[in-house]
Amino acid sequence: MQAVDIKNFQVNLNPTWCPGCGDYGLLRGLQIALSKLSLDPSQVVIVSGIGCSSNLPHFIKSYGYHSLHGRALPTAEGMKMANPNLTVIAAGGDGDGYGIGVGHLIHACKRNIDITYLVMNNQIYGLTTGQTSPTSDFGSKTKSTPEGNYEYSFSPIFLAISAGATFVARTFSGELEHMSEIIVKAIQHKGFALIDDISPCVTYNKKNTYQWYKERIYKLEDVGHNPYDLSQAIQRSTEWEDKIPIGVFYINQDKLPYDQLDPVIRQGGIFSKPLELTDDQKKEILYSFL
Amino acid sequence: MQAVDIKNFQVNLNPTWCPGCGDYGLLRGLQIALSKLSLDPSQVVIVSGIGCSSNLPHFIKSYGYHSLHGRALPTAEGMKMANPNLTVIAAGGDGDGYGIGVGHLIHACKRNIDITYLVMNNQIYGLTTGQTSPTSDFGSKTKSTPEGNYEYSFSPIFLAISAGATFVARTFSGELEHMSEIIVKAIQHKGFALIDDISPCVTYNKKNTYQWYKERIYKLEDVGHNPYDLSQAIQRSTEWEDKIPIGVFYINQDKLPYDQLDPVIRQGGIFSKPLELTDDQKKEILYSFL
Amino acid sequence: MLEKDFGEVVVRVAGSAGDGVASFGDTLSKLASRMGLGLCAYNSYQSVIRGGFVWLQMKISNDKVYTHGDNPNILVPLNQSEYYRHKDSVLPGGFIVYNSDKVKVDQERSDVNYVSLSLRELSPQHSKQAIMQNILLLGAVVKIVGLDSELLKDVIRKSFGKKNEEVVNANIEVMEAGYNNTGISYDFGIKRQDKKYYVITGNYAIAAGAAIGGCKFYAAYPMTPATSILHWFASNGAKYGIVVKQFEDEIAVVNAAIGAGFVGTRAMCATSGGGFSLMTEAIGSAAMTETPVVIVNSMRGGPSTGLPTKTEQGDLFQALGASQGDYPKAIIAPKDPVSAFYMSAEALNIAEKYQIPVILLVDFLLSNGYYGIPFEEIDPSKIKIERGEIVTTLNGEKYLRYKDTPTGVSPRVLPGTSGVCYVAATDEHDEDGVLISDVYTDEKKRKKMMEKRMRKMEYIVKDFGLPVVEGDDNPDITFVGWGSTYGVIKETSNILRKKGIKVNHVHVEYVYPVKKEIAEILSKYKNVVIVENNYTSQYSKLLRMETGYSIEKKILKYDGEPFTPLYLFEESKKYL
Amino acid sequence: MLEKDFGEVVVRVAGSAGDGVASFGDTLSKLASRMGLGLCAYNSYQSVIRGGFVWLQMKISNDKVYTHGDNPNILVPLNQSEYYRHKDSVLPGGFIVYNSDKVKVDQERSDVNYVSLSLRELSPQHSKQAIMQNILLLGAVVKIVGLDSELLKDVIRKSFGKKNEEVVNANIEVMEAGYNNTGISYDFGIKRQDKKYYVITGNYAIAAGAAIGGCKFYAAYPMTPATSILHWFASNGAKYGIVVKQFEDEIAVVNAAIGAGFVGTRAMCATSGGGFSLMTEAIGSAAMTETPVVIVNSMRGGPSTGLPTKTEQGDLFQALGASQGDYPKAIIAPKDPVSAFYMSAEALNIAEKYQIPVILLVDFLLSNGYYGIPFEEIDPSKIKIERGEIVTTLNGEKYLRYKDTPTGVSPRVLPGTSGVCYVAATDEHDEDGVLISDVYTDEKKRKKMMEKRMRKMEYIVKDFGLPVVEGDDNPDITFVGWGSTYGVIKETSNILRKKGIKVNHVHVEYVYPVKKEIAEILSKYKNVVIVENNYTSQYSKLLRMETGYSIEKKILKYDGEPFTPLYLFEESKKYL
Ligand SMILES: Cc1ncc(C[n+]2csc(CCOP(=O)(O)OP(=O)(O)O)c2C)c(N)n1
Ligand SMILES: Cc1ncc(C[n+]2csc(CCOP(=O)(O)OP(=O)(O)O)c2C)c(N)n1
Ligand code: SF4
Ligand code: SF4
Ligand SMILES: [Mg+2]
Ligand SMILES: [Mg+2]
């Protein structure tokens, strides 16, 4: 691949994350991936929700939309439907995407719309100073569960596959090269791609630290995982506490993305077309009421 | 089982459903199940959303709460947490539960709270006169997709399993005995139980008719399905167009329900306790601010 | 003698859901409009799919019609219970037209004419199809009123299309049986007119206005009474290059519309109060990111799920209080389908020009009522697409997305434009889009940005039109209304005038920001009465809060049904 | 000479998030209150976890304190940039206390005293722990002001607990190094008092009031500035038999609270504007099903995500316009932590007594400010649990859940009660709970039920207290405020009085329904000025809309920071 200079995607603003935050890793991995893909920053829109992680669009050069908590995906979908020529990337946290926003995630997976969704999963609500998230481990002590979390966590990988996502992967903010390669594939994939990035919160998650993850992480490609096999994918998707796989869990190339099925979007979207209808079209509309 | 008279669960009000609507089947199946369980109607609360199917609480004797579109589950969860002695049943449509309400469904599954959720799935939005629902088949022509639905439908069974539900089944409104047995098991199950009831809409869904279903439906117990086996369950959960399994897909007895984990709910909930704190407790609270 | 004006007739058909009440109305409306007659119809239906008590009433006239009228001249009960429920509503001298197979007449009134037809006898081969009674009875109505049965055949042919010749013939046959076996008729003075009418609902007018106004993205989640806008777009969108999408909920709907608006499309969505509640958070966010978006809220009986198929004007304060904090927005409420057509397009213009959310407030009555609209009143060439300032090339100068300008409006660069990049954020930000909420909230910057946004309101209100003021000088009574009550106030005013009372009528369509001139106009009149279809008189509250002008006299209705002229006439007596 | 009143001192500590600004304040507040001193602190922080410009200011006094004051007597800059940012704010004669390892003093002012300490020199063994500079500098502050360092040791011991003896000793050591190496002090007139204070934030007061008021179900989704209520309940709930649950979003939160309320529990939830937006649909539904629920909305800078950690009173209209249609609800806004404590319990009473949603409106300032509250002002025995009518046994008569009563309130039977069954519906229903929206919307029934519900408002408003009216007869100026501005108006009034101006102060806590008496009270005064922390003066709008009474003179602030006495004093000059 002919990469452009990563500087194309850098801005003159320091991230406001805590030193050591995993989100620096994803930011860097994304910048590497975009430069590998030789994309023009002005053809990329990054849409986020609210959370520490959701501040990301401010720290990368591209168009950005820093939307509401949990609403990155529908906002991104509207953009993609209106202008499918744009590379639309959604980004945010685990609370944002798997908590308040999980309904949109399920439907975006189902819709298989051509968006790449990057979730910086730190198993905690960072910006609100450390409450339980949907991926917080059972028993985790957080500010909202000081005696331990009484909910079993779910696997976002498993969930996304069951909802119909066609590209599902996990990356680790401590493995930039691996991450950037997967982001490249996800963006190239035609359809909805979820990347669950393990992005440690060094301030509020004292259980799931870099160290904790490093002891458990292994690469799917190292164990001969076949991402085109649904049952293998599901089996791997539920691994956690002992071993944590990263890499591409699942790819499905049989389903067309929504934007190639819808007759209007398929034609390059509405963006390039004039807004005004022709006189004949206007007449046709009115005459239908005769 | 020592059943009480089904009349205990009947009211003096005719359902407002169209003649032939599948929801009559679920209503009857539920009444049979409740009478088989010999429950006292005043110890049962049925909570619904909005939709044709969500009118159900009015047609059965018990306490009922006809809540908002998509919000049956959180309302029911609040009830169960406040008074775990009640048998709390949530009910509604596919739009209600898998569309607008799917985020709550995912989290109720994850939480494994001891509620039975009955979804009358007709693959259409009935009350709003026939638009696409999340379970509408790909290509279905509905009022909102006159040229055919461009989304792939998902399997609510698969979804619920991936989210952590511990009892997942499908019934058919044309098979009352089978249905009522499964509802009995679901209510007896300690934890979250989803029943996806195939409940044909005779008015707006001209594709997925009784006939269409009957040609495809088979019973899981007839093929030796083991509901304790996750991978078997998942494999069956994705069957549709050709063959449609009904029966219990999945049971997981390893996870405790939320209401038995939370230290306050576990003690029989707050309902029976006096509201007023003791003087010592009041003092303790205030002294903590000294 | 009929107490009605010569040259008009009111027909009411009553049955259960599934009985075909709506299609009876539909066919009759087509016939009337093709005869050059004016009409207005209201369908009072229920929130069930089958059963329930449904009635549709249509006023047909030689002239344009503004309401569906009061008591009917002709009642067509489709079943026994509806016969009982409605029989007393028929005006003396009027008609009750029924199928004697289904309706047994007792408790007979001596002052009305009973027209009895038996489907079984007149058309035995079709008597199994219950729905056939409608066309039989319609034939009778056509005969009584003296409408054109040949034209009706044409309408039937068009409705069922070429493919269904058998159905067409059956319908024509039965219709003729009804027509020919009705021995009675009455001269209502209804005559074919040399006029052309569209027959349109408020919702269709909104859809058409938006499509012609350049809407290219329509998102929705079904909700009565807004759903038929979705249906229109779903059936017609592709033809006109409009992306139409039903999302998983209203939150997704409005955020998707905002996303589409952000990348430069004209986007609209519609819902009713419950869905609007869910949209409010995003509506505030559009104001903060300065992204254009139009939200139609078609109000129904509230609170909560309330009366899903009934009318009310109860969501004004919801629109006003949508989302937290102070931010610029516009609320406009068309008075009839003609206004709905133009204002739908205008909403898109306001949204883009000021980069704000615009709320188009209508209600069940306007959304789903059928109106005959004279041809010349709908002129698509009057709709101009105004997008506000969009910058496509920059001459080297630094682009500030949120530049502080005299009007508060900052020229947009649309994503995809090369050489520029910015971030739009729902957090408070400076002119360049950089957050001022995270590192240091500079109080001066915050104040500047708040004032920049709110400044738009001063300009929007200047763009807004004055209220419609119609009627007599030195009025004995002045009616104030907003939105869908225009028609009924107009007809009531005419009734009052016939009694020698001088009436004028001030009707507000540009609701918020409030034009102060409205208070000035009203303060010239001595007997000002507000008419609202809600409990708390929301508009008069808004007016008082914004201008200090109080309207003390109120006629309010909140029982689910719309005002009718006689009802309003009776109510207005207390202020005369 | 210090321009401050004798007997009080204002200390400001400034740093970045993560520098320990809050814990500096916490320790100081504990010391002060244990010395019997009054205090009030405001923490101006940012919406980032690390970095950002954060400062906390505390006023300490021999008497009760109402605000965090204006410019400080003592500044403690924790890093270089904050030294520059804040140094000019110090009052002449004041002190700048700093760690010379981290802060280099230049641009020196000749009118303030510089107190320089080096952690590296004074306590080399702890110099690696940056956080230790705080206790060093606190030691210095204690010395300057003449606070009790022995008591401070006690506070340190309590804070770190017995398990951390090493940490305790280290902290005491460093504190003493600061104390002993500060050679300067000043007589602020601060003296140990024989008074007892609680130190409490508004949020803790709400939580405590609710717990003592019988709240047994608390649901939330984290959102600044409401989050610490959740933290309090999460840590303390189990002890008091309170179910505490963080749900997946605010929609689930409020519906779960309603569900809990339906089965007979006292339920509360809290959020800020964005989450409140998502709750609105359900708030209307609670009114329709007549289910008690209390929603706390702690306002922050808006619109949209806005200024998450800044203060504003901008959500009044959001509360007012929450959900579609007209329905009964109450909005109350405590003026300080004492009111917050009682009104939180009162909200639960109102909700159950009238079976309605009650909105408790507070803001960032009140929620997160620390206040010293004299012991006797918080008396739990004053909180009475009033549940309204609950029927547990029926003597054979037919139970009507929604019985039309003179007050509009229908006695409740709680689910689980045997012999009764009913359905509560968000659709319109009759007295027995049966829907009237589905089969036939009887207009009379609908009207009756609407009036039944709305009738509650007449009784609620009677229960409501009058506004607090304080101050001089024949005032030259009358301040009107609501919610958290009470303290600053009170202090400003005192400043004005010292200048010979007669001031009175009308403060509203029972916001909606509006008591008409408020207009009557205000109309007695000639120079009425409203003080609001928002752009559009939302309360004066509400007051005008409900009573017709206009307040034309306004002092508004919407830059994120709260009013301070001097600011308000300066602004009020234009009306004198
Ligand atoms: C509707 C709404 N509810 C709550 C919040 C408060 N809030 C801001 S960020 C956040 C959660 C952040 O967690 P996550 O998405 O995991 O991001 P992280 O900070 O961990 O990167 C919450 C609850 C909000 N902004 N909006
Ligand atoms: C927030 C909100 N949005 C939309 C609606 C309108 N609405 C009522 S029922 C319904 C869908 C019904 O479909 P489903 O849940 O499948 O139930 P069915 O009628 O098919 O039994 C919708 C969209 C509503 N009541 N509330
Ligand atoms: S709080 Fe956690 S998630 Fe947020 S910036 Fe700091 S380390 Fe990252
Ligand atoms: S419309 Fe469909 S779902 Fe609704 S009652 Fe009729 S058959 Fe049942
Ligand atoms: Mg997180
Ligand atoms: Mg359905």
Side-chain angles (χ1 to χ4, degrees), chain D residues 71-72 75 83 86-94 96 105-114:
Chain D
N71 291 11
L75 172 69
Y83 165 69
H86 292 275
K87 71 180 186 44
D88 292 335
S89 69
V90 182
L91 287 173
I96 297 182
V105 161
D106 55 7
Q107 302 170 19
E108 264 177 80
R109 281 174 57 182
S110 57
D111 59 346
V112 300
N113 306 292
Y114 288 83

Side-chain angles (χ1 to χ4, degrees), chain B residues 107-126:
Chain B
H107 284 277
C109 291
K110 173 179 187 293
R111 203 162 283 147
N112 192 30
I113 185 163
D114 189 15
I115 287 173
T116 300
Y117 185 31
L118 310 169
V119 178
M120 288 156 265
N121 182 355
N122 53 17
Q123 305 186 253
I124 200 88
Y125 282 27

